[in-house]
Amino acid sequence: MSNLLQIGELAKQTGLSIRTLRYYDEIGLLVPSHRTEAEYRLYSEADIARLQQILSLRQLGFALKEIRECLENPEFSLPQVIDLHLARLQEQMAVSRSLFTQLSQLAQQLQTSQSVAVEDLMTTMETITMTQQYLTQEQHDLLAARLQQGQAEWQQFLTQARSQLAEGRNLNDPEVQQMAWQWRTSILEFVGGDLQLYEALTQLYQQAGAEAASWGTLDGPTLEYILKAVAMLSMREEFVGSTLGRLAPATQAVLTQGQSAMRNKLQIHDFMGTEGLLLGLLAVETSVAAQALGEQGVDFATAATLFRDWLADCATSPAEIPANMPFTPRAHRVLELAAQQAQQQGDDQITPEHLLLGILQEGETGGGMAMRVLQACQVDCDRLKQQLRP
């Protein structure tokens, strides 16, 4: 068992994403030989050897379905792989030669008559489509299968987005920002961490239209609203990124302790929400913010227990949690508000007290998991604000 690798270790050593390895497991292409009692994936030397074959075949241009058929075929041999790849290259070269000939003829017609027959244009456009199609057949089949698997969840998401659009919700609305974050996260999971597939899908959305890209389930106005919300989310993330350099050392310790608590103690999920911020504040006990929370009966053990009970369904292997956990939209909003609190108070650095004030202010619009803890502990928020402000 000492030679077994967890999924995070294998991903790091091969350069593949954890999402890709998970997807290979889901489709039966690379099923880990072992699992821990907690059902965490463990890969043996034989699994790693199979992964090497998969990557080699992918490099040759094979579809995942073809790779599985090859590896499951007892008569599988490398010469067969090369012959199949050569045949595919010959087909591509034939299409390219045809396109070259047609474009040459069009150029000659334009030089002599300044016009081109409609039939010739149509034929050329068809050939261009063949050589520059947005998705390969494998990619199309892969996305269609994933869309089918998550059909109910997808429709629920679209219903939510359409409802927010119909209500005229502001793009800064916390629920709209959460929707945008969910969209972006889901799209990355949808393509299994394959950036080439993501780029092809994005190009299809932009040039062929939302209906074509999502098989008729996503209309243009809804897509435009979602993409605007995602753009707003990205702008806010950039703003927060620029403020991280203004964190006081104690606040940097809060973020570090919060991530550590989420990863090692709670093992809840692979992103940093307001719950992580609150746990970090409570872990750095020397701050005024932690002491003010403690006076009202909120400590690390109490908050951790509540989060563990509420988020039991979100358990994640520590090996699958990234070193730098991404912030959720609510956490970004809290950091943004904390920066505003520091500016209003004339402080150059963002302190833990500013961060807690950000949690309280964000909580006025509904709040996240941190606000739920404060409410469960019956914290007097007005009194808390008074203690935190100079």
Side-chain angles (χ1 to χ4, degrees):
M1 297 290 286
S2 59
N3 293 328
L4 300 179
L5 293 180
Q6 293 189 4
I7 190 170
E9 297 170 326
L10 182 59
K12 183 177 180 180
Q13 293 189 24
T14 60
L16 294 172
S17 69
I18 291 176
R19 288 189 179 93
T20 296
L21 292 173
R22 285 176 178 168
Y23 180 67
Y24 285 175
D25 184 7
E26 291 172 7
I27 64 175
L29 183 60
L30 181 66
V31 179
S33 301
H34 304 276
R35 289 181 182 267
T36 66
E37 293 181 358
E39 288 299 308
Y40 298 147
R41 298 171 177 85
L42 295 174
Y43 294 84
S44 67
E45 292 182 358
D47 297 330
I48 297 172
R50 182 180 175 92
L51 178 58
Q52 189 277 324
Q53 292 179 308
I54 292 171
L55 297 181
S56 295
L57 292 170
R58 286 287 284 167
Q59 185 67 28
L60 287 174
F62 276 62
L64 296 180
K65 180 180 178 182
E66 294 172 331
I67 294 174
R68 184 168 58 243
E69 292 173 350
C70 286
L71 296 181
E72 292 175 355
N73 184 356
E75 298 179 357
F76 165 72
S77 65
L78 184 58
Q80 291 176 329
V81 173
I82 295 175
D83 289 341
L84 185 56
H85 193 215
L86 286 173
R88 180 169 300 173
L89 288 175
Q90 288 176 340
E91 293 175 0
Q92 295 172 350
M93 290 168 62
V95 173
S96 297
R97 284 194 297 268
S98 175
L99 177 60
F100 179 84
T101 301
Q102 292 171 28
L103 289 175
S104 298
Q105 292 173 349
L106 288 177
Q108 187 175 4
Q109 290 181 36
L110 288 171
Q111 288 177 353
T112 57
S113 63
Q114 301 298 314
S115 64
V116 176
V118 174
E119 293 79 5
D120 293 337
L121 284 174
M122 294 296 291
T123 301
T124 303
M125 285 189 288
E126 181 180 359
T127 307
I128 291 174
T129 300
M130 292 175 63
T131 58
Q132 296 182 335
Q133 70 179 119
Y134 303 107
L135 301 175
T136 65
Q137 187 60 47
E138 176 206 346
Q139 290 173 333
H140 183 279
D141 293 345
L142 173 63
L143 294 181
R146 288 181 181 170
L147 187 66
Q148 184 66 31
Q149 292 173 356
Q151 187 67 27
E153 182 179 353
W154 174 245
Q155 290 300 331
Q156 183 179 5
F157 173 83
L158 290 182
T159 298
Q160 176 191 16
R162 290 189 181 110
S163 175
Q164 292 172 347
L165 173 60
E167 294 171 6
R169 293 277 195 98
N170 189 287
L171 296 177
N172 275 318
D173 186 293
E175 292 186 2
V176 175
Q177 287 290 283
Q178 182 66 28
M179 177 273 294
W181 183 75
Q182 182 183 351
W183 162 271
R184 191 175 60 186
T185 302
S186 298
I187 285 294
L188 290 175
E189 292 178 351
F190 189 52
V191 300
D194 187 334
L195 292 181
Q196 291 183 341
L197 178 55
Y198 176 75
E199 291 170 1
L201 183 61
T202 301
Q203 185 182 22
L204 179 56
Y205 267 113
Q206 292 174 339
Q207 300 188 23
E211 293 84 351
S214 59
W215 297 273
T217 60
L218 176 58
D219 58 278
T222 303
L223 173 64
E224 182 180 3
Y225 181 72
I226 292 172
L227 294 182
K228 285 181 178 179
V230 171
M232 180 63 69
L233 175 64
S234 298
M235 290 176 60
R236 296 177 72 173
E237 289 174 345
E238 289 182 9
F239 173 79
V240 170
S242 67
T243 66
L244 293 180
R246 296 173 50 204
L247 298 181
T251 313
Q252 293 175 349
V254 165
L255 297 186
T256 300
Q257 291 295 327
Q259 289 204 5
S260 175
M262 297 295 290
R263 179 183 298 105
N264 302 319
K265 291 184 172 60
L266 268 65
Q267 299 178 12
I268 293 177
H269 38 218
D270 54 1
F271 50 82
M272 184 78 160
T274 60
E275 60 271 29
L277 298 179
L278 181 60
L279 288 174
L281 283 168
L282 294 170
V284 183
E285 300 176 348
T286 55
S287 72
V288 173
Q291 293 170 3
L293 288 168
E295 290 176 6
Q296 296 206 42
V298 185
D299 56 29
F300 184 93
T302 300
T305 299
L306 289 172
F307 288 140
R308 190 177 290 110
D309 291 341
W310 293 338
L311 301 171
D313 295 336
C314 302
T316 303
S317 164
E320 300 183 21
I321 299 177
N324 293 315
M325 300 169 65
F327 293 109
T328 65
R330 286 195 182 279
H332 272 114
R333 178 60 176 160
V334 168
L335 290 167
E336 182 181 349
L337 293 171
Q340 293 177 10
Q341 289 287 339
Q343 184 178 11
Q344 291 170 6
Q345 296 177 22
D347 296 328
D348 294 332
Q349 292 188 318
I350 301 170
T351 67
E353 292 68 54
H354 298 139
L355 193 60
L356 183 51
L357 284 170
I359 289 176
L360 294 172
Q361 186 176 349
E362 201 279 334
E364 295 173 358
T365 60
M369 297 300 296
M371 201 62 188
R372 282 188 62 185
V373 166
L374 300 185
Q375 292 169 346
C377 295
Q378 299 181 337
V379 169
D380 184 338
C381 294
D382 291 334
R383 174 188 163 197
L384 193 56
K385 291 176 184 176
Q386 293 176 358
Q387 291 177 280
L388 297 173
R389 290 190 174 117

